Amino acid sequence: MPQPQPRFAVVGNPENRRVALFGDAVRAAGLPAPRIVAWRDVLRAGGADFAADEIVRVDSPGENDEVDRLLRGTDDPTRVEGSARWYARFTAALRGLRGGTRLDDPDDLAVLFDKRRCHAVLDAAGVPVPASPTSGPQAAPVRGWDDVRALMREHRMHRLFVKPAHGSSASGVLAVESDGGGRIRATTSVELASDGRLYNSLRVRRYDREQDIAAVVDALAPDGLHLERWLPKASQAGRAADLRVVVVAGRATHAVVRTSRSPLTNLHLGGSRGDLEAAREAVETAGARWVDVLGVCERAAACFPRTLCVGVDLLPAVGWRRAAVGEVNAFGDLLPRLTGLPGSGAEGRDTYAAQVSAVLHDRHRTGTPHA
């Protein structure tokens, strides 16, 4: 008796390109288009139900003003504040998804969207990460700029990243530097308004007055902050470089190099794609193995075995010989038209087609049933 065709469902914003690209991959595999369950409906209803035979993908709730209002409780989607409320409502919504076979485990997502918890999980598993005083059993509280300054002195962190614990896409992130004379500056995409409110901007700017930096940090602190030592990164063509590596079903399948003149390499903040082959050659010239670099990303993904796909931000050290994991992103697969790495099993496929193929060929291992 022939097996019934798999049926996919997607929790996402119906108009979003992420949902469209995944739907294209499902149809290209000869399957019916996924059933789309809108985030706004999930949030209004407090959940959603799925049939036992539906394979459920949870996609990003971002880039929709109405959904952002429902999650963060603000009428201005450019505001930075509100990430703690976003996290509480997002994780509650995940718990309200009932039935189906989940490709994104709710408990994994709860960790992935808390940088402090994610860092602690990676560190405990032996995955190389930047040193941090705000994760693990001895985590220090950060109630504002005074705590940041005290931790900088205590841990001799003259350069560090201050990150909202529940932020994404570099929202609210500050790259902070201090010199021997006590002067301090911060590079960030945060715009500090005259009334003290914080706004996301596509322009990376620098604050040189400590009182301005303190005002930004103090405004962010109630939502939770995570501190990490700023590791000097490798460069490519005179620009700071890191990698986004997508791991699907345990294998590194896709990778891009991101370069920037600022410490923030996010492409939407002016970063640009670098030369992946040149990065591989630099690693091997340094005496390391490219497969080991990708292996660091696979080890990070292995900390979340019930989630099919994650995007790992890998920080290659100066000289390209070593690397650490900066972030693990639940929705880090938006790399349009990028095809798989040689030898990955995803050659010729984009990130979405690679995920569909992984489900079809190893469905029970990659999916998690939910009552």
Side-chain angles (χ1 to χ4, degrees):
M1 185 175 178
Q3 292 289 325
Q5 278 192 320
R7 293 199 302 149
F8 283 90
V10 178
V11 180
N13 295 324
E15 77 287 354
N16 195 276
R17 56 181 173 162
R18 294 173 179 271
V19 172
L21 288 167
F22 186 76
D24 290 345
V26 170
R27 287 188 293 271
L31 300 172
R35 180 169 73 97
I36 309 302
V37 179
W39 266 115
R40 61 176 174 270
D41 296 334
V42 171
L43 292 166
R44 286 171 175 167
D49 293 291
F50 299 90
D53 65 340
E54 283 187 299
I55 301 169
V56 183
R57 169 184 171 87
V58 175
D59 218 324
S60 170
E63 301 178 335
N64 181 292
D65 291 353
E66 181 182 0
V67 170
D68 186 69
R69 282 195 298 273
L70 291 168
L71 286 169
R72 290 200 301 132
T74 175
D75 287 332
D76 189 339
T78 67
R79 288 284 298 278
V80 180
E81 302 95 328
S83 60
R85 185 181 299 113
W86 182 100
Y87 178 78
R89 293 178 177 177
F90 174 68
T91 52
L94 292 174
R95 293 192 296 272
L97 303 179
R98 298 171 292 272
T101 296
R102 205 71 52 80
L103 300 182
D104 316 84
D105 182 76
D107 293 334
D108 283 354
L109 293 178
V111 174
L112 289 166
F113 277 99
D114 187 323
K115 297 183 193 305
R116 300 161 299 192
R117 294 176 64 191
C118 185
H119 185 282
V121 166
L122 296 172
D123 193 34
V127 176
V129 288
S132 170
T134 54
S135 77
Q138 304 300 319
V142 182
R143 293 155 298 211
W145 177 244
D146 289 345
D147 286 343
V148 173
R149 270 301 223 172
L151 289 168
M152 289 174 66
R153 290 190 294 269
E154 180 183 349
H155 295 271
R156 299 183 179 179
M157 291 192 300
H158 303 298
R159 302 173 82 231
L160 75 157
F161 282 90
V162 179
K163 304 178 178 182
H166 310 298
S168 61
S169 302
S171 174
V173 172
L174 296 91
V176 178
E177 305 171 81
S178 62
D179 62 21
R183 291 183 297 272
I184 197 156
R185 66 183 183 185
T187 304
T188 181
S189 62
V190 174
E191 179 182 351
L192 174 63
S194 57
D195 62 2
R197 296 182 180 185
L198 308 182
Y199 294 88
N200 281 307
S201 168
L202 294 179
R203 183 173 73 85
V204 175
R205 67 199 68 215
R206 179 175 290 167
Y207 292 103
D208 294 305
R209 295 197 312 165
E210 185 166 353
Q211 66 191 74
D212 292 333
I213 300 169
V216 172
V217 171
D218 287 344
L220 291 172
D223 284 321
L225 290 174
H226 175 58
L227 311 184
E228 289 182 348
R229 188 177 297 277
W230 179 345
L231 301 180
K233 288 194 292 190
S235 62
Q236 190 175 92
R239 295 161 63 93
D242 62 18
L243 291 91
R244 165 65 60 84
V245 179
V246 175
V247 181
V248 177
R251 297 191 67 179
T253 58
H254 298 73
V256 293
V257 177
R258 307 181 302 183
T259 70
S260 176
R261 299 192 188 283
S262 88
L264 307 177
T265 57
N266 302 71
L267 299 180
H268 72 285
L269 295 178
S272 60
R273 289 194 183 186
D275 187 330
L276 185 63
E277 181 59 24
R280 186 190 65 79
E281 291 177 359
V283 167
E284 294 179 347
T285 298
R289 300 195 309 162
W290 181 243
V291 67
D292 293 336
V293 169
L294 298 180
V296 172
C297 301
E298 292 173 349
R299 287 165 53 199
C303 294
F304 307 96
R306 295 170 296 179
T307 293
L308 174 66
C309 175
V310 295
V312 180
D313 290 346
L314 193 71
L315 314 177
V318 172
W320 292 93
R321 187 173 177 82
R322 296 182 307 280
V325 171
E327 305 264 352
V328 182
N329 304 274
F331 306 132
D333 54 2
L334 182 61
L335 298 171
R337 299 178 298 280
L338 182 72
T339 54
L341 295 165
S344 68
E347 297 90 340
R349 298 189 180 101
D350 68 10
T351 59
Y352 300 100
Q355 291 171 68
V356 172
S357 177
V359 172
L360 297 181
H361 288 90
D362 200 3
R363 179 173 170 181
H364 297 291
R365 185 172 71 84
T366 56
T368 302
H370 283 262

